[in-house]
Amino acid sequence: MVNTTQGGVNMLPQRYNCVDILERNLIQRADKVALYTDARSMTFREVSNEANRVGNALKRLGVRFGEYVGILCYDSAEWVTSFFGTVKIGAIAIGLNTLLKGHEYEYMLGDSRARVLIIQEPLLDTIEEVRANLPHLEHIIVVGQREGYVSYEEWIADESIELQAENTHRDDFCSLNYSSGTTGEPKGIIHAHKDYPLTAQLWGVNVLGLRESDRTFAVAKLFFTFGTGGNLIFPWYVGASSVLYAGPPRIATNVLSIIDRFKPTIFYNAPTGYAAALAVEKLTERYELSSLRLCVSAGEALPAPLWHAWKEKTGLDIIDGIGSTENYHIFISNRPGDIRPGSSGKPFEGYELKLVDSDGNEVPRGEIGNLLVRGETASLFYLHQYEKSRQTFRGEWLFTGDKYHIDEDGYYWHAGRSDDMLKVGGIWVSPVEVESTLISHPAVLECAVVGQVDEADLVKPKAFVTLREGHTRSAELQRDLIEYCKEKMAAYKRPRWIEFVDELPKTATGKIQRFKLRES
Ligand code: 3UK
């Protein structure tokens, strides 16, 4: 068992496989419930046995060290056993967003050359659309039942529960997540085995103060590192349990019933989720939330009024921290007993920060600068994206794309992005992608998408649209355009408002001036 009490990669042995985070629990608490899900509860021993079966089944399919295995599943026991089965044999687990469209999966599975995909049955149709374009994808294993496919259950049924972990180096890669950028293809972000115990120690233990008696529940799904870290890796690192919810996060009442039923002590959500929960009538009378001792928010900035409203309603503190897939998890954070609502909190051991101007010089205290971070859980590059990698990974320092200022007491305040990217409900939305979808609608001549805050002070996409001749402005057309976006993209990317305009503000060279629209 590995202990990284101080943090720091040298606390880990060179040979390290992060399946340790599951297996460390087999010594003292093998029969403790590790996982609560709608479908089943599992002890650490049961998860470990099933993960070993998955590992053996993957080997039987010929999966070798360093090869990629896609996981396209709802939050479930199968997600977890597939993840640990994959990393244990030295392969690389791709946590795939379940909300995407065929062409996006085609890119991700093609880019990583995944040989195996473990997929939830209802998501299979989307993959079938693009299967012909994925020559490297040799095997699809279905969680559930589908004619003509091997089911997960039969796939692992006869496999042994014994499996020797691959003797991986702590710097070997073990996971891949795709994150979106302003333009172009999603960015493949790879993490190494070492990043898992380090981030668990540096934030999960040292900042959040997780302990064995905790039970975590995250609305953020396991395919986001916010979810994997917060709701799987960190609790298991300290021997705590995790609650998984397979359903859509948007339905606040479902989320609240999970808290009521499984009694977690730690709750992770994005700001939008807290706002949605607060909108539920008689929230605290209808749902028993008293098991919770702490709440966490990340993905986008948590406005101070929302923090206070939650505190007033539930009596609970929310710990806001900024994290990123590149760093795996949170790297600036409020902490229990030291919270400044509205801010991202303060730096903590393991990450150094710098705010610089456009020439790279540090800005004076109080002024806004571009945030750079130096820490030992950072990934090293974007897969197959040399130019973008060089812009982001600057030696030891990582350019976050976030603007910040520091107040007189040392708290960090998010001051927007240095690109046009939007965080909507904690998930990336590229205005360029929404615009190119809108422009493909026959009524749209030109458009521009910017972020606008809603009644809870949270950013949502808004589209300014000019129409082609022969089309007239109407509420119906506004609805049509929003529906059209929902069909063509993941629904969370749709504009929430459409404003028709005569023309869009442009530079002399014809470039749309998004900042003018933001100001309007
Ligand atoms: C923004 C925030 C203000 C910020 C993430 C916790 O969000 C996560 O990762 P992503 O790669 O996005 C990173 C970007 O999101 N952001 C995140 N948290 C905050 N802005 N306040 C916050 N609290 O622009 C950042 O660069 O999707 C969050 C843990 C793991 C994660 N991957």
Side-chain angles (χ1 to χ4, degrees), residues 94-364:
I94 321 167
L96 291 160
N97 183 335
T98 55
L99 305 168
L100 303 179
K101 302 287 178 191
H103 69 275
E104 290 165 295
Y105 295 127
E106 181 181 333
Y107 177 78
M108 294 169 186
L109 294 169
D111 183 52
S112 58
R113 303 189 191 89
R115 288 187 64 192
V116 179
L117 175 66
I118 302 171
I119 182 173
Q120 203 89 37
E121 190 273 334
L123 302 172
L124 197 52
D125 292 346
T126 320
I127 293 298
E128 280 186 334
E129 286 168 25
V130 296
R131 175 92 200 252
N133 307 331
L134 293 168
H136 294 95
L137 183 59
E138 291 170 33
H139 306 279
I140 295 185
I141 306 297
V142 176
V143 178
Q145 299 292 333
R146 176 75 71 98
E147 179 111 18
Y149 284 90
V150 178
S151 78
Y152 170 90
E153 234 176 47
E154 43 183 337
W155 181 52
I156 61 164
D158 298 328
E159 295 296 344
S160 163
I161 58 169
E162 302 294 331
L163 171 67
Q164 179 71 38
E166 180 70 38
N167 188 21
T168 44
H169 192 285
R170 66 189 181 201
D171 292 338
D172 276 322
F173 298 140
C174 73
S175 65
L176 168 64
N177 290 84
Y178 282 92
S179 180
S180 14
T182 331
T183 53
E185 309 298 0
K187 299 174 289 192
I189 300 171
I190 302 180
H191 279 282
H193 288 270
K194 75 175 198 330
D195 299 336
Y196 284 74
L198 283 180
T199 166
Q201 182 68 44
L202 292 172
W203 184 79
V205 174
N206 297 358
V207 175
L208 193 63
L210 274 177
R211 36 191 194 239
E212 187 184 348
S213 55
D214 276 317
R215 191 180 287 185
T216 61
F217 170 43
V219 175
K221 297 297 178 189
L222 291 171
F223 60 76
F224 294 120
T225 64
F226 180 30
T228 346
N231 208 21
L232 181 63
I233 302 303
F234 305 170
W236 287 11
Y237 179 78
V238 299
S241 316
S242 153
V243 177
L244 299 181
Y245 162 59
R250 272 177 299 111
I251 305 171
T253 47
N254 288 1
V255 169
L256 292 164
S257 331
I258 296 283
I259 301 179
D260 193 296
R261 175 170 163 206
F262 291 106
K263 315 247 170 300
T265 59
I266 310 276
F267 179 52
Y268 302 86
N269 211 340
T272 314
Y274 288 107
L278 281 170
V280 171
E281 240 178 275
K282 301 214 172 89
L283 156 69
T284 45
E285 286 123 77
R286 278 169 67 195
Y287 301 96
E288 183 59 57
L289 306 181
S290 63
S291 63
L292 295 175
R293 67 177 185 92
L294 270 182
C295 299
V296 177
S297 175
E300 59 185 318
L302 178 74
L306 196 47
W307 190 96
H308 289 290
W310 186 255
K311 175 81 176 175
E312 196 173 306
K313 191 82 178 196
T314 67
L316 289 161
D317 286 346
I318 305 180
I319 305 297
D320 184 9
I322 176 175
S324 71
T325 313
E326 285 84 345
N327 276 307
Y328 200 83
H329 214 266
I330 290 175
F331 56 88
I332 307 179
S333 189
N334 286 282
R335 54 173 72 217
D338 183 10
I339 299 174
R340 180 150 296 180
S343 83
S344 303
K346 289 181 174 174
F348 55 88
E349 194 206 313
Y351 300 94
E352 282 172 73
L353 306 167
K354 209 158 66 168
L355 294 182
V356 301
D357 63 21
S358 46
D359 297 325
N361 302 315
E362 281 194 56
V363 300

Side-chain angles (χ1 to χ4, degrees), residues 66-92:
E67 292 184 333
Y68 290 84
V69 174
I71 304 174
L72 183 49
C73 295
Y74 303 141
D75 278 17
S76 59
E78 290 80 4
W79 199 104
V80 175
T81 54
S82 299
F83 177 83
F84 282 112
T86 300
V87 302
K88 188 166 181 181
I89 65 166
I92 301 168

